[in-house]
Amino acid sequence: MAIRTVSAMKMNKFMVMLGMMTALFTQNAASVQAQELKKFTLEDLNFGGNNYHNMIAENRWTAWWGDELVRTDVEDCKLVNKATGKESVLFTLDDIKAKSGLNLHSLYSVSFPEAKKPLVLLNDNKSTQLLNWKTGKAVWTIEYKDRSAAQAWNFHYVSRNTAYVKGDQLYVQTANGQSNQLTTDGSRNIVYGQSVHRDEFGISGGLFWSNKGNKLAFYRMDQSMVTDFPLINIPDPSWAPTSGSRMATPAPEKYPMAGETSHQVKVGVYDVNTGKTVWLKAGDPTDRYFTNVTWSPDDKTIYMIELNRDQNDCQLVAYDAETGDKKGAIYHETDEKYVEHLTPIVFLPWDSSKFILECQKDGFNHLYLFNTKGEQLKQITSGNWVVMETIGFNEKRHSVIIASNERNLIQRNIYSVNIDNGKRTLIDENGEGWHTASLSTSGQYIVDKYSTPTVPRNMTIVNVDNGKKVRYLTAADPWKGYNMPEYKNGTVKAADGTTDLFYRLVLPVDFDPNKKYPTIIYVYGGPHAHNVDASWHWGSRSWETYMAQKGYILFILDNRGSEHRGKAFEQVTFRHLGDNEVADQMEGVKYLKSLPYVDADRIGVHGWSFGGFMTINMMTTHPEVFKVGVAGGPVIDWKWYEVMYGERYMDTPQTNPEGYASSSLIPKAKNLKGKLQIIVGLNDNVCLLQHSLSFLKQCIQDGTQPDYFVYPGEPHNMRGHQSTHLHERISQYFDDYLK
């Protein structure tokens, strides 16, 4: 018995030693493996980097040819078999260039306007051509002197008429090549055919062809009464005596600040057949916004949403397209805070007397069915979730295809909604992740492109009628072979104690829970944006991976006021931007401090635009918390921001002086304790230099010491490879003062 006991003891000792040796071997092997994994550079991860194109997930560009799917690429276009996903070449770039004579560099942007006909629509800077790729003959060609010089441009396939703005004047070129000049008074003060109202209210352009393409609605913006902000252009630093003036030149920007005089907009209608222009008789345009211009299916009526300057009262108004006379208001909506209509009405393809209106009047963005008398027939969708996009229709099934976050507030899924009975059917591949869809002409098929937190990108062809799904692309992980951080997702309670807020946590490469790490909060926090969703790596920005590789924890929280959570969630910031947003972010800080591996003495913050405002706000409201911050293109005081955005959320400085005063960062300049770097583009026409320079002026008076860096010639966001320089600068600042 004793001998067996001794033997057991020896065996146990041997097993312990063997276990220690195995653990040591495993640890060393893991260390060797980690050393063999590659490291990222900003040239890999930043969108301006030289190797960035190799570091993003494989993608495919497609276009619908009726219900046939075509893959458009650089060198060729291929027909995709929807049942198998296999491809066959339709035509090549060399073939198309030879037949068309156009100066084409790729086939990415071609389109196929007529189902079952071998016709492809081609564009270069000098012409638009409809080519029969089988016969090699051009059905028609429209020549332009120089399309690249156009300030705005809109081509209509059915009529083959083109509207464009050049030299500030509006022109229409007909299908036979005749060019008609519609205006003579265009200038930087009188702007035709371009986006108005500072690109707010869903506006992205100013030329609106009718369905048949024989009538053109267009914007005319008079901004002569708007104050100029004095931006400048500086000459290239390589100036030589033979290259022109070395003097900087003025580049003033018409900028209507909150509470000040704004521009005035009118809508004209040009009839190609008669050559006459009429103006919609909307009345005095002073302090009013005109948006969501829509043509009726018969091209006889124009619908437009009209909004008061206070943005709390809107109407959908119908106008006679022939005379410009007002037919009447067919929908009216008010709100004690503000009303936002970002999408035009959409008529049912099978019933031209009915249309869909998208709005938040029940607290969440949903679809409503109206008739042209203005009678609400039904609410099509409802629930504590939002419709994120109306994609199109399946006429045969009387259904509308939408994207929504019904399944999960940080997902985007694709549904078919039957308008007759309201039944919703999930039609994307798996019901998880973040999906976008392109719809075939009849609505029978979609290409479902999506990612999940662990899937970089997949594409699936879905038959909406029978639900059959065919995987078309499974993209490989472009970061395979690199040493990766861990991406986590969760929720914390908002400062109200009840609302769940979603966060993303990125842990350092080779994370050790027994260590303490410096932590950077990346923040935006403003309206119509979010940072956390169920896409790849929970929506993580590549810069976060770069910093995690350098040994930082990254934390990102979507506070109240951000998008896709309903009206009450968004409007909580009304008349006091920055207060609740900062309070919510501090709940995130409280969570971070509860983690044993977060170094509470080394917390930094970084953001751009609204995020720049949040960065400085957080650093000066809670100076004891944040050691380092980098604020890009920041708003400092909302009274210096533009009318449309600023007054929607803050009212005017005259009607809400207390709110503007409490949101201003000027009085907080004296509180700055940590290291703060402010970065701006010299030609920023969104968050004007007046913001950051005024803050610097106040810091000088208060004796605080921020750092400041300017990118000459750059707008609100840095472009091209300068973005890589920018992110290296941001990274170095945290390395210098937080690490």
Side-chain angles (χ1 to χ4, degrees):
M1 185 70 176
I3 295 176
R4 287 198 295 271
T5 303
V6 171
S7 298
M9 291 175 61
K10 288 182 178 180
M11 180 59 70
N12 288 339
K13 185 175 181 180
F14 172 75
M15 293 301 295
V16 170
M17 293 178 63
L18 181 61
M20 293 175 62
M21 292 174 64
T22 301
L24 184 61
F25 174 79
T26 302
Q27 182 178 359
N28 289 338
S31 178
V32 170
Q33 183 183 14
Q35 291 174 7
E36 291 175 350
L37 292 173
K38 292 181 284 187
K39 290 186 176 181
F40 295 105
T41 69
L42 282 176
E43 299 292 353
D44 298 326
L45 294 177
N46 185 263
F47 61 85
N50 293 326
N51 196 44
Y52 178 74
H53 63 285
N54 291 319
M55 301 301 293
I56 56 177
E58 180 188 355
N59 197 6
R60 292 177 184 172
W61 284 261
T62 59
W64 286 105
W65 174 23
D67 280 345
E68 296 296 331
L69 183 63
V70 179
R71 179 180 176 182
T72 62
D73 213 327
V74 176
E75 298 293 340
D76 55 33
C77 285
K78 297 173 181 175
L79 185 66
V80 182
N81 186 314
K82 299 187 297 297
T84 64
K86 294 182 178 180
E87 301 172 340
S88 56
V89 175
L90 277 179
F91 49 77
T92 67
L93 176 63
D94 289 341
D95 185 35
I96 291 296
K97 287 173 68 174
K99 291 175 180 177
S100 69
L102 301 185
N103 183 27
L104 302 172
H105 301 290
S106 79
L107 296 172
Y108 278 135
S109 60
V110 303
S111 58
F112 303 85
E114 296 190 42
K116 299 181 180 179
K117 293 184 180 180
L119 302 175
V120 58
L121 191 64
L122 309 167
N123 287 289
D124 65 8
N125 281 334
K126 295 185 178 180
S127 62
T128 296
Q129 184 179 115
L130 186 66
L131 178 73
N132 185 314
W133 72 77
K134 289 188 175 180
T135 66
K137 295 181 179 180
V139 176
W140 51 264
T141 302
I142 298 176
E143 299 287 345
Y144 312 108
K145 290 182 179 179
D146 185 6
R147 178 183 157 189
S148 63
Q151 295 158 280
W153 186 87
N154 194 351
F155 167 78
H156 194 276
Y157 170 73
V158 176
S159 67
R160 299 164 191 174
N161 294 324
T162 303
Y164 63 95
V165 179
K166 188 175 181 180
D168 298 316
Q169 307 305 337
L170 176 60
Y171 298 82
V172 166
Q173 182 169 310
T174 61
N176 61 12
Q178 179 182 348
S179 185
N180 303 306
Q181 184 173 338
L182 277 58
T183 67
T184 58
D185 61 340
S187 66
R188 65 180 299 266
N189 286 323
I190 306 297
V191 179
Y192 284 103
Q194 300 174 61
S195 182
V196 299
H197 303 324
R198 302 289 296 182
D199 300 323
E200 294 293 328
F201 316 113
I203 299 171
S204 60
L207 299 169
F208 312 94
W209 281 111
S210 63
N211 298 285
K212 296 182 179 65
N214 291 318
K215 295 176 184 176
L216 175 75
F218 60 90
Y219 278 132
R220 180 190 189 270
M221 177 172 64
D222 181 355
Q223 55 181 5
S224 59
M225 68 290 292
V226 177
T227 304
D228 277 330
F229 187 85
L231 297 174
I232 64 166
N233 288 326
I234 64 170
D236 191 286
S238 61
W239 178 89
T242 58
S243 62
S245 175
R246 59 179 175 270
M247 183 68 70
T249 55
E253 173 77 11
K254 291 288 186 180
Y255 197 94
M257 285 186 179
E260 297 192 355
T261 304
S262 187
H263 53 242
Q264 297 179 6
V265 170
K266 296 168 61 178
V267 176
V269 184
Y270 174 74
D271 189 320
V272 176
N273 295 326
T274 66
K276 295 182 179 180
T277 297
V278 299
W279 297 92
L280 300 189
K281 298 173 184 177
D284 186 356
T286 304
D287 292 337
R288 296 170 69 199
Y289 302 121
F290 300 143
T291 183
N292 296 302
V293 175
T294 311
W295 285 91
S296 63
D298 62 6
D299 290 355
K300 293 181 179 180
T301 305
I302 291 178
Y303 296 88
M304 182 169 68
I305 287 181
E306 303 177 8
L307 187 65
N308 65 335
R309 178 156 172 172
D310 205 32
Q311 299 186 49
N312 59 8
D313 190 309
C314 83
Q315 297 184 87
L316 175 64
V317 184
Y319 291 91
D320 188 309
E322 293 287 341
T323 64
D325 291 337
K326 183 176 179 177
K327 292 184 173 182
I330 61 173
Y331 175 76
H332 186 206
E333 183 180 345
T334 62
D335 189 277
E336 62 179 7
K337 295 180 178 177
Y338 53 85
V339 180
E340 283 190 283
H341 281 264
L342 302 176
T343 57
I345 62 172
V346 184
F347 283 86
L348 301 185
W350 57 89
D351 188 343
S352 61
S353 69
K354 298 182 179 67
F355 63 85
I356 290 176
L357 176 77
E358 189 175 320
C359 72
Q360 294 194 95
K361 67 177 183 174
D362 79 339
F364 294 86
N365 195 56
H366 283 298
L367 305 184
Y368 296 81
L369 185 65
F370 283 80
N371 62 25
T372 51
K373 297 178 182 179
E375 298 168 332
Q376 180 178 315
L377 304 178
K378 65 171 66 176
Q379 183 171 352
I380 300 170
T381 62
S382 63
N384 294 345
W385 47 273
V386 301
V387 173
M388 304 160 96
E389 182 186 5
T390 300
I391 298 169
F393 293 95
N394 183 315
E395 184 172 355
K396 182 177 69 174
R397 292 180 172 270
H398 283 200
S399 62
V400 58
I401 310 302
I402 66 168
S404 80
N405 62 357
E406 176 179 357
R407 287 181 67 85
N408 188 301
L409 292 176
I410 58 172
Q411 290 187 186
R412 189 181 196 270
N413 295 104
I414 311 301
Y415 285 83
S416 173
V417 184
N418 185 283
I419 292 177
D420 297 332
N421 58 31
K423 181 181 178 182
R424 297 189 298 276
T425 305
L426 180 72
I427 59 173
D428 62 43
E429 180 179 347
N430 59 5
E432 299 177 356
W434 192 266
H435 296 250
T436 60
S438 65
L439 189 66
S440 71
T441 302
S442 73
Q444 183 178 350
Y445 299 94
I446 64 168
V447 172
D448 174 22
K449 184 182 295 186
Y450 70 94
S451 72
T452 74
T454 58
V455 173
R457 181 177 288 120
N458 286 343
M459 294 175 68
T460 299
I461 304 166
V462 181
N463 186 323
V464 176
D465 286 349
N466 59 27
K468 184 179 179 181
K469 301 174 176 66
V470 176
R471 178 67 62 81
Y472 175 49
L473 169 67
T474 303
D477 185 347
W479 293 2
K480 185 178 181 180
Y482 284 82
N483 206 3
M484 295 286 295
E486 181 182 357
Y487 307 89
K488 303 179 74 172
N489 168 256
T491 62
V492 298
K493 292 296 182 184
D496 64 4
T498 59
T499 306
D500 285 330
L501 305 176
F502 294 95
Y503 71 79
R504 175 175 65 250
L505 187 69
V506 185
L507 297 177
V509 170
D510 301 327
F511 173 67
D512 182 348
N514 297 312
K515 291 183 178 180
K516 285 189 175 291
Y517 293 93
T519 300
I520 301 171
I521 296 171
Y522 176 76
V523 62
Y524 180 77
H528 295 299
H530 72 279
N531 280 314
V532 183
D533 58 49
S535 60
W536 196 37
H537 298 155
W538 299 105
S540 179
R541 301 167 66 248
S542 296
W543 178 77
E544 297 164 20
T545 296
Y546 180 70
M547 297 304 284
Q549 179 181 264
K550 293 163 73 71
Y552 295 91
I553 292 173
L554 282 300
F555 181 77
I556 299 88
L557 179 75
D558 282 334
N559 51 249
R560 287 173 296 163
S562 54
E563 66 180 355
H564 301 328
R565 297 288 302 273
K567 187 162 65 171
F569 186 92
E570 296 168 5
Q571 291 189 343
V572 73
T573 66
F574 183 61
R575 288 173 65 91
H576 47 87
L577 286 175
D579 293 354
N580 285 304
E581 300 95 293
V582 169
D584 285 353
Q585 291 292 331
M586 295 311 295
E587 292 301 308
V589 171
K590 186 185 300 183
Y591 166 70
L592 287 173
K593 288 183 176 181
S594 74
L595 302 176
Y597 42 81
V598 169
D599 188 340
D601 295 326
R602 291 187 293 165
I603 296 180
V605 58
H606 165 51
W608 201 272
S609 192
F610 199 103
F613 163 71
M614 287 290 289
T615 295
I616 299 176
N617 202 353
M618 291 163 69
M619 287 197 71
T620 54
T621 304
H622 299 278
E624 74 286 352
V625 173
F626 300 99
K627 186 177 180 181
V628 182
V630 179
V635 173
I636 296 296
D637 193 308
W638 290 101
K639 68 175 177 284
W640 298 323
Y641 202 69
E642 61 195 33
V643 166
M644 301 82 196
Y645 184 105
E647 293 181 5
R648 180 187 311 133
Y649 303 116
M650 291 289 291
D651 284 337
T652 66
Q654 294 90 333
T655 58
N656 183 23
E658 298 84 3
Y660 275 85
S662 68
S663 294
S664 175
L665 304 184
I666 295 296
K668 297 181 179 182
K670 64 180 180 296
N671 300 337
L672 182 64
K673 292 182 180 179
K675 293 293 296 183
L676 170 65
Q677 178 174 226
I678 300 172
I679 305 176
V680 297
L682 181 64
N683 294 72
D684 191 336
N685 63 355
V686 178
C687 294
L688 302 173
L689 285 174
Q690 185 168 336
H691 288 275
S692 57
L693 294 178
S694 298
F695 187 77
L696 291 184
K697 186 174 182 179
Q698 188 63 46
C699 287
I700 294 168
Q701 294 181 19
D702 292 337
T704 50
Q705 295 283 346
D707 294 321
Y708 196 72
F709 192 84
V710 179
Y711 281 86
E714 290 302 292
H716 188 52
N717 295 294
M718 306 311 123
R719 300 164 296 181
H721 198 260
Q722 291 187 96
S723 175
T724 306
H725 183 280
L726 165 68
H727 284 85
E728 181 60 33
R729 183 166 192 86
I730 296 169
S731 305
Q732 285 183 1
Y733 202 76
F734 285 113
D735 286 347
D736 290 343
Y737 299 110
L738 188 65
K739 198 169 186 180

